[in-house]
Structures are given as C-alpha cells and as structure tokens.
Amino acid sequence: MKTSDFNFDLPEELLAEHPSEHRDEAKLMVLNRKTETIEHKLFKDVVDYFDEKDLFIFNNTKVFPARLYGNKEKTGAKIEVFLLRELDKETRVWDVLVDPARKIRIGNKLFFTEDESLVAEVIDNTTSRGRTLRFLFDGSYDEFRTKLKELGETPLPKYIKRAVEPEDAERYQTIYAKVEGAVAAPTAGLHFSKHLMKKLEIKGIDFAEVTLHVGLGTFNPIEVEDLSKHKMESEEVIIDEKNADIINKAVDAHRRVCAVGTTTMRALETSVSSNRKISAFNGWTNKFIYPPHDFGVANAMITNFHTPKSTLLMMIAAFAGKDFIMHAYEEAVKEKYKFYSYGDAMLIL
C-alpha cells in the first residue's frame, strides 16, 4: 500500500471551522460493508442501528488547554508553546513544541506572566520544533497545574484559522471526558449529547470506556510513500479489568460492538490477543493500522471524515475496504459533508 493511494481532492471550504449547532445534529453517513450501500442521516439516528445489549466503546480522555503564549527574555518576542507531555512531575519538566522555533535555544527563558510567576527554561532540543522545558513556579504541584490551565488555550488544530472562542472549551471536549491527558480531542465522540446517551441507555445499549491520550502525532503527515516505513508517535493507553470484561462479554455474545473513534480502535487493537480477548492494559502504543488488517474486537465504528493521505483515513480504509471508503469520500465531497475535527460523522457497519 502506498501513501498516494489515499489521496483525494478536498475543497478547503469543507474543512469545518465550527462545530454543528447541536452535537447530535451533525450529518451522518452510514456505510454498510456487506452490501456496500451508503445512507445519509443525522447523527442522532445512530440509535436506530443498534439493539439491546450491543456495546459502544468510548475513549474517555480529556483535553487539557495545551497551547500557551510566552515572551522570550531580553527580546520580548512572542512564542507559542504547545505542551505535549509531562516528563517529570517533581521537577516540572515537559516536552513541548515551540513556534517560531528558530529563535528558541537551550538556556533561553520564556516568561508567561507579567509578574514572572511562571517562567520556563529551555533545557533540551528534541526535534526541529520540539524542546524540553523546565517550568519555574513557586507553589504546589496543584497550584502549578491550575496556573497552566488558567493561561492555556483550547488546542484547536492548526487548520482552524479563526481565534479560539469561549464555546470551544466545551465543544472541543466529549461530554464523557474524564481522564486528563490529551492534546487533541477524540473527535468522533464530540457528536454524543446527553440526550442521545440517554436514548441509547433506554434502548438497553451497554457502554464501556478505554483511555487513549491523543497526541499531536495523530496529525503528523506521512512523509514516506511506502506505508510500512512510517513510524507512529507513541500515545498512552489505559484499559482496566472492569471495562476489558464488559468488552469481552459483548464479543463472546456476538453483539454489535462499536468503537467510537479511531483512537478507541487503536486502543482496542493494541490490547487484543490472538484469541480476540481484550486484556487490561497500561502502557504506550505506536500501532499503525492500514490495509490489510484483521480487526479483533469491534465490528462497527464511528469516525469523522479525515484529510487526504492521513493515518486516520488509512485505518478506516482497513476497516471498511479501501475502494469502498474512497468511493464514500467522493460522495462525501459531492454531498458537502464537513471534514475533520469539528466535521460530520460516519458510521461503518
């Protein structure tokens, strides 16, 4: 499989700058893999495709406000700092991306507040834009994290050209987000409203949760033509015994098991054994799923519409069949479905 096999023309106006007015009223394209048919619905119609004892598996990661703005010492130049990962809680050392990066060298200090209550020192270069920072802050760890949240901004993807708005803090977060640690939202889950969750519950549908803390690697372009040579960045995955048990029971009972989002699917495929059992898991995954791939757990999935040549498009092509997916995407462009994080959704059965 080649990267260029997953290219298609995506008009810029189809990249969603804003979410739909109501979470569950985005458009929904329903794909049936058996019959290779396509239906056009609203997201809230998803309830019609599932029965009692079917299972939805959600990624309960929570996005933290990862984008900060600081000023470089002496020059006062404005620098964007994107928090990627906490490396050491005690010493407050973080992996970050900086922009513009060429101005930021080891030993530089960045000031985030007028009163200099939060300062960071650059202690290492990791990639062209990556740096390791040590934050200097007088106060407890909890106070430090509160300060980061206060100063941080909702980390909307770069393709959204507008400024962050107050509603983004709520809308770029799933309603069931619990475990903080993601720098990007698991976007398929953004379509679930409280009302829709209640309807699914009333129908007797079961829920399970996994945690995969979405990193920026999700958006990294693939720079090789041969897919087998692409390396995914690692993301943290946690699946506890209780949820592994719920998932295994649904699989054993041959229920419809729906992975909500590519991140949920990656978590499941990371922890599934050869006998199609999910084990409790606490670790990291750099699993890259592309065709052909034999999926071990979910037999349905919900996902958003992804950009050309992305790892996310490759995963759903592995799930639904490459030709069928590329045909569905042509249809999506024709029908003016909205793409990407705030865009419309697809249900694959």
Side-chain angles (χ1 to χ4, degrees):
M1 279 281 166
K2 299 206 232 10
T3 302
S4 53
D5 293 339
F6 297 91
N7 200 11
F8 64 95
D9 286 328
L10 178 58
E12 205 164 310
E13 68 269 17
L14 295 185
L15 289 176
E17 288 270 320
H18 291 271
S20 57
E21 193 182 342
H22 301 290
R23 283 182 187 265
D24 56 15
E25 288 186 355
K27 291 203 286 190
L28 177 71
M29 181 185 274
V30 184
L31 269 56
N32 186 311
R33 294 182 289 171
K34 249 193 205 123
T35 55
E36 293 212 344
T37 50
I38 295 174
E39 295 176 277
H40 303 288
K41 302 281 184 175
L42 288 179
F43 192 80
K44 58 188 178 186
D45 299 327
V46 80
V47 69
D48 301 334
Y49 293 89
F50 294 87
D51 296 316
E52 195 179 346
K53 292 289 171 226
D54 285 346
L55 179 69
F56 275 73
I57 309 170
F58 299 102
N59 179 5
N60 66 11
T61 187
K62 189 173 189 180
V63 179
F64 66 89
R67 192 174 272 125
L68 301 172
Y69 294 95
N71 297 94
K72 192 180 166 191
E73 64 177 337
K74 297 192 180 107
T75 66
K78 189 181 182 186
I79 306 292
E80 178 189 302
V81 173
F82 196 103
L83 301 172
L84 288 179
R85 189 179 297 166
E86 184 175 51
L87 299 178
D88 190 322
K89 200 169 163 174
E90 299 300 310
T91 55
R92 296 171 189 170
V93 171
W94 284 70
D95 256 346
V96 305
L97 294 178
V98 291
D99 194 18
R102 61 195 156 72
K103 297 180 175 179
I104 302 301
R105 299 190 175 89
I106 293 171
N108 286 161
K109 283 201 169 114
L110 298 170
F111 294 87
F112 296 94
T113 53
E114 290 276 316
D115 61 3
E116 300 185 9
S117 60
L118 184 68
V119 180
E121 185 182 2
V122 182
I123 58 173
D124 198 8
N125 288 341
T126 50
T127 60
S128 59
R129 286 183 57 216
R131 301 289 183 271
T132 305
L133 299 187
R134 180 187 291 117
F135 283 96
L136 311 169
F137 177 79
D138 283 335
S140 69
Y141 178 74
D142 286 346
E143 287 167 332
F144 166 63
R145 290 300 297 238
T146 301
K147 186 57 121 181
L148 288 184
K149 269 193 192 141
E150 237 170 65
L151 297 171
E153 190 178 88
T154 301
L156 292 183
K158 281 284 194 198
Y159 83 87
I160 292 180
K161 301 286 186 265
R162 65 175 172 80
V164 172
E165 294 165 13
E167 71 153 3
D168 290 313
E170 182 213 341
R171 292 300 303 270
Y172 196 63
Q173 193 83 271
T174 63
I175 62 165
Y176 46 77
K178 278 193 193 113
V179 189
E180 196 169 78
V183 297
T187 54
L190 297 179
H191 302 292
F192 286 85
S193 62
K194 286 192 175 114
H195 181 63
L196 179 57
M197 295 289 271
K198 199 78 210 143
K199 277 173 81 173
L200 292 167
E201 231 173 273
I202 289 165
K203 202 165 181 182
I205 289 158
D206 292 329
F207 301 149
E209 292 182 354
V210 299
T211 306
L212 182 143
H213 291 315
V214 191
L216 277 189
T218 296
F219 306 123
N220 279 358
I222 297 185
E223 282 163 356
V224 289
E225 180 63 355
D226 177 355
L227 293 188
S228 65
K229 293 193 167 53
H230 177 67
K231 294 272 182 291
M232 293 287 279
E233 277 186 35
S234 291
E235 293 170 313
E236 192 176 6
V237 175
I238 305 152
I239 302 175
D240 62 23
E241 291 282 359
K242 183 184 135 207
N243 283 287
D245 197 40
I246 294 170
I247 295 164
N248 288 332
K249 280 187 176 139
V251 171
D252 289 345
H254 304 292
R255 303 304 317 175
R256 184 164 267 174
V257 176
C258 183
V260 177
T262 55
T263 58
T264 300
M265 190 67 98
R266 275 185 82 210
L268 296 172
E269 291 300 301
T270 294
S271 58
V272 69
S273 63
S274 54
N275 64 355
R276 301 188 184 272
K277 284 275 182 276
I278 286 285
S279 312
F281 184 91
N282 193 333
W284 295 79
T285 181
N286 62 355
K287 195 169 190 64
F288 176 28
I289 299 171
Y290 59 93
H293 180 84
D294 182 24
F295 289 83
V297 184
N299 49 27
M301 83 179 285
I302 289 169
T303 183
N304 277 23
F305 286 90
H306 308 295
T307 47
K309 300 197 285 194
S310 61
T311 59
L312 308 173
L313 173 56
M314 290 163 191
M315 179 197 287
I316 62 161
F319 190 71
K322 181 188 158 288
D323 293 344
F324 187 32
I325 275 296
M326 297 314 278
H327 165 64
Y329 267 52
E330 262 175 49
E331 181 101 346
V333 169
K334 201 172 83 201
E335 296 294 330
K336 304 222 178 321
Y337 276 74
K338 289 287 191 186
F339 279 67
Y340 224 33
S341 303
Y342 271 153
D344 294 315
M346 177 185 272
L347 167 64
I348 307 169
L349 300 168

